Amino acid sequence: MADGGLSFPTSIGTSDETHIRLLGQDLAADLMGKVGFGELAYWLVAGRRPTPGETRVFEAVLVALADHGFTPTAIAARLTYLSAPESIQGALAAGLLGGGSRFLGVTEDCGRFLHETLRDAGPDPDYDAVALDAVRRAREGKRFVPGLGHPVHKTGDPRTPVLLRIAEEEGLKGPHLRLFEAIGRVHPQVLNRTLPLNGAGVCGAALADLGLPVDLLRGFALLARAAGLLGHLAEERRKPLGMDIYLTVDRNAVYEED
Amino acid sequence: MADGGLSFPTSIGTSDETHIRLLGQDLAADLMGKVGFGELAYWLVAGRRPTPGETRVFEAVLVALADHGFTPTAIAARLTYLSAPESIQGALAAGLLGGGSRFLGVTEDCGRFLHETLRDAGPDPDYDAVALDAVRRAREGKRFVPGLGHPVHKTGDPRTPVLLRIAEEEGLKGPHLRLFEAIGRVHPQVLNRTLPLNGAGVCGAALADLGLPVDLLRGFALLARAAGLLGHLAEERRKPLGMDIYLTVDRNAVYEED
Amino acid sequence: MADGGLSFPTSIGTSDETHIRLLGQDLAADLMGKVGFGELAYWLVAGRRPTPGETRVFEAVLVALADHGFTPTAIAARLTYLSAPESIQGALAAGLLGGGSRFLGVTEDCGRFLHETLRDAGPDPDYDAVALDAVRRAREGKRFVPGLGHPVHKTGDPRTPVLLRIAEEEGLKGPHLRLFEAIGRVHPQVLNRTLPLNGAGVCGAALADLGLPVDLLRGFALLARAAGLLGHLAEERRKPLGMDIYLTVDRNAVYEED
Amino acid sequence: MADGGLSFPTSIGTSDETHIRLLGQDLAADLMGKVGFGELAYWLVAGRRPTPGETRVFEAVLVALADHGFTPTAIAARLTYLSAPESIQGALAAGLLGGGSRFLGVTEDCGRFLHETLRDAGPDPDYDAVALDAVRRAREGKRFVPGLGHPVHKTGDPRTPVLLRIAEEEGLKGPHLRLFEAIGRVHPQVLNRTLPLNGAGVCGAALADLGLPVDLLRGFALLARAAGLLGHLAEERRKPLGMDIYLTVDRNAVYEED
């Protein structure tokens, strides 16, 4: 605590000449080779080591969110790699910057919606009644219910039942997933049509049931996507598409007066 | 293949109404709950599923590189979160953008150095002789040997022997790690002092032995660091330091003529 | 319009073998050496060429917003340059990513607040009455009035009267600046204390009076800040501070249990 | 200088309760409304106020580099805006991150090439002889001469003669531009074909003649491009293309085995 009393407290990590400590553990002796990477990511954010069941649900979420093909974020990363191949960090960052409200925000939006709905509902709720009320209020406020509907998987997102089953198997199907299932059951009464519970939404519900802070759920979607973007950049390196994508746009540009 | 013959081939993923395919697998049925996140990241970049041993070495590397405390990148991420807390993707991207030549580049530089040295050496090399020659040429060219030396761990980086042991246990100590060890043995003959083999370097050697493309090794350091940065952002949310860091600099600014 | 009818219309620019057209002009013959950079930036966003008076107000705004010393964004840019000096685009991008709601958002927030207040007030308003009502509603809703108050310039931001005078001189003091002035006059009646009209706020009001889209006002703050950040990076190159800033934080890190 | 002797010296800016100083000037009294934005950007980087002639050449460069239509960077910015429309700083940053070696690097590469060639040539050189030697050495080393050739403007880039004329008019055609012209004259002797001197290259030569640091020339290209990217984002807001671009790629994705 030199420098006139300056002090920057942290619970993450420190090191000295012979040891590196991370999360209160000896990095080399206790963590390397003994904890998985997903497990460590959970621990870093939650500040506590997850159980094996929590790790399995968490990694299933990361796997579900890692890639969705040629998303706008994957295309942006490939085009940035085309322009600046010497800076892989720039291409990865450009891809992650699309992780905002529209294409990667559903996970966090859904987790937060469920969290706030449950907070208002009080303990031991009747999930179907709470869900019915929440969907009604969303409709009256002309708001979408996050996690409901999918442009491609119109009759059912294949990730949803699988993640629900995994959470059930691990004894981790908590109030957020239960409320999400209830929304799936009751929304046709209000909306007069049946929409699928989508994969991004069920991931948000599962992360919230793991006790992770709802303000940071988008962060996990970004971590998962970082792996997917690396996959795209590795493929771009082997079989480049960026130039074709760029030329497809540029060759079909048409100037028009504003 | 509509749009006049346009075609963007990819081996990563596709989806239709009922299925999501990733890496040739059914995402929901075959991957979620069955592969770990680190395993999937390896698969995405290498284009092949790693063995359990490869996964263990790979995840040990990611764990080793996830966080190094208050690095410039962690501080940049925290300051960006302070300025724009609504955009966690921006804070994460800002942190990753520091993953360049100086603070996060050693992993890739070391992997590449070993790879090129081995390529020039031909098959079945005498590692000590090759290492001696490589260190001599680096010294003559006034270049550093990547992976040698550490500002804090002057007598030995605790990560290095642990990663070597894990690779040995899994039968994955290949030519890159062997050459790296040889550099550790022979460099005092040339440099007249003994430097430690650092953790970032041994990680680069291990990744290269896993057959991962040396041009993308920095990408794995970035993926690992993404988890560490999320940890810093989660801590910044609970116990903010960004304002203190900013004010420490701003309050001690001194204007001087250029 | 090859590729099966694909067409990407734009009013910005096109080029062929002998000409480059930008905004409907011949770039080389009509723009280079004839329009200033600020003038072009206005034209690009507004889709029309500004008058000399509009350009003067616009450039005064950019000058006012270009730099505020060691802001979190400037520090983040310097730390990123320290880590990845080979990627100046990364350091600049990292700095701009802090241009969010808190430290660079006031310009846009203030422009939008004034815009929406005027829209609700109808034509030919009594500015003091409208301002009084707007401040009252903000207070009742426990919201801040954007553009009011400054942590350092407690008795008056020196930029505010200057920008008001320049706009007046150019005949461009329109309804947004008039309403902003009115807020300055009437807010003490509601808040029981006198706060300064700050520089970021008056810039937002002036940009809105120039007819620029309120959704993009933050974009101009970012453009201005890009110049300031280049100044910091040029200084960092000549007289590096990034390492000192990093070590000041790192040397004063204190590990504590979570 | 509180905090135990900490001191962060800067020549850029400081402020107190009543004044904001920038570059040693009173921002409100001496700069706002009196210096243009381009002029200020030059001053911030060079640390000295440019003359009117220097400002004219400098702004002509920024105007020349501001936009090149649907470049990979413009497309990446539009796709990022599509995904995260709430974070205009993220879309702008994503666009700038493509400002690397390939699509935006020529300006800096050319300035540096000319600078280093002149440094080796000594004072008062015979430009044609120096150029001939430099082109020969580049060819022998199988390196491109930066600034020579253009994929579209095969018979001449329209920006080149205009910028040379403006520099001439302002008495600012110095050694870098003269050497660049000489390269244009002599390269056919070595390469056996005539290539155009491109616009990005002549901009780099002009910036170097203005005495700006060659390590930062890419920074000016980035500043210019920031204005162009804002133009694209403003157009994307009025007439969105991002979704069409994304769907053009995604609908034409073809899965293939690796």
Side-chain angles (χ1 to χ4, degrees), chain C residues 192-207:
Chain C
N192 296 317
R193 57 189 180 138
T194 302
L195 295 169
L197 294 172
N198 65 43
V202 76
C203 287
L207 292 172

Side-chain angles (χ1 to χ4, degrees), chain A residues 90-104:
Chain A
L92 181 61
L96 292 175
L97 287 171
S101 59
R102 233 185 264 182
F103 272 74
L104 218 67

Side-chain angles (χ1 to χ4, degrees), chain A:
Chain A
M1 237 185 294
D3 296 332
L6 282 181
S7 164
F8 298 109
T10 179
S11 310
I12 297 180
T14 52
S15 60
D16 60 28
E17 188 164 340
T18 51
H19 288 83
I20 301 173
R21 294 190 73 75
L22 184 64
L23 299 162
Q25 314 296 310
D26 184 311
L27 172 69
D30 301 335
L31 299 179
M32 285 171 66
K34 296 185 178 163
V35 302
F37 179 56
E39 190 179 354
L40 182 73
Y42 187 120
W43 196 343
L44 276 160
V45 175
R48 66 173 180 83
R49 183 170 193 169
T51 65
E54 288 172 327
T55 299
R56 182 163 173 250
V57 172
F58 181 67
E59 296 210 88
V61 168
L62 295 183
V63 167
L65 296 176
D67 187 71
H68 293 161
F70 287 130
T71 53
T73 61
I75 302 169
R78 285 177 180 254
L79 289 168
T80 305
Y81 185 72
L82 168 70
S83 293
E86 76 284 4
S87 169
I88 199 170
Q89 73 271 24
L92 181 61
L96 292 175
L97 287 171
S101 59
R102 233 185 264 182
F103 272 74
L104 218 67
V106 175
T107 298
E108 181 165 319
D109 292 345
C110 185
R112 180 177 287 118
F113 175 81
L114 299 170
H115 188 76
E116 292 174 357
T117 301
L118 287 165
R119 191 191 54 202
D120 297 346
D124 208 5
D126 173 336
Y127 289 107
D128 279 31
V130 171
L132 195 60
D133 185 53
V135 177
R136 274 201 185 117
R137 276 183 293 125
R139 190 191 173 84
E140 282 161 19
K142 293 176 197 294
R143 293 185 305 273
F144 288 108
V145 176
L148 208 50
H150 195 284
V152 174
H153 308 300
K154 292 178 198 294
T155 54
D157 187 317
R159 295 166 293 185
T160 305
V162 171
L163 192 59
L164 283 163
R165 178 180 49 71
I166 293 168
E168 181 87 60
E169 285 169 7
E170 303 298 342
L172 289 163
K173 200 164 92 180
H176 300 85
L177 282 168
R178 286 179 208 283
L179 178 57
F180 195 55
E181 286 184 296
I183 287 172
R185 282 190 298 270
V186 306
H187 76 271
Q189 299 177 41
V190 183
L191 306 180
N192 295 317
R193 56 188 180 140
T194 302
L195 295 168
L197 294 172
N198 66 43
V202 77
C203 287
L207 292 172
D209 270 346
L210 290 173
L212 295 163
V214 288
D215 289 354
L216 291 172
L217 297 191
R218 193 188 298 176
F220 298 111
L222 291 165
L223 177 63
R225 192 51 54 95
L229 290 168
L230 283 181
H232 280 276
L233 295 173
E235 186 173 86
E236 183 69 23
R237 186 179 152 278
R238 292 194 308 268
K239 304 185 292 184
L241 292 177
M243 185 60 85
D244 269 5
I245 293 172
Y246 154 53
L247 291 176
T248 296
V249 179
D250 192 48
R251 278 200 329 253
N252 294 292
V254 179
Y255 182 78
E256 62 174 34
E257 289 292 319
D258 207 4

